[in-house]
Amino acid sequence: MIFDNADQYRKTVKSYDDAAFLAGPHRYGSENALIFVQINEGLSSSDGQKVKDIVDSL
């Protein structure tokens, strides 16, 4: 998800954090770029790390 509003980004991240048991472990965000990625279960930890690295570089 791409946001043009930091407040909406933060609210979305909080919502996914609050529902972590449903959303799964693969939630990555960049507050600088206002991008949030949520990937359903089934992604390996190593692929999750790749996604995290990409998001962190934004």
Side-chain angles (χ1 to χ4, degrees):
M1 295 174 252
I2 300 172
F3 298 86
D4 55 0
N5 177 298
D7 189 49
Q8 289 298 317
Y9 168 84
R10 286 186 208 103
K11 286 179 182 179
T12 299
V13 170
K14 182 179 180 335
S15 294
Y16 275 87
D17 286 346
D18 291 347
F21 65 97
L22 294 173
H26 300 293
R27 299 178 317 278
Y28 313 106
S30 169
E31 190 163 358
N32 291 331
L34 297 179
I35 292 176
F36 182 77
V37 178
Q38 187 277 324
I39 301 172
N40 293 334
E41 290 184 46
L43 186 70
S44 70
S45 293
S46 63
D47 286 341
Q49 185 61 49
K50 290 175 189 174
V51 173
K52 181 182 182 317
D53 291 345
I54 291 167
V55 172
D56 286 348
S57 73
L58 301 174

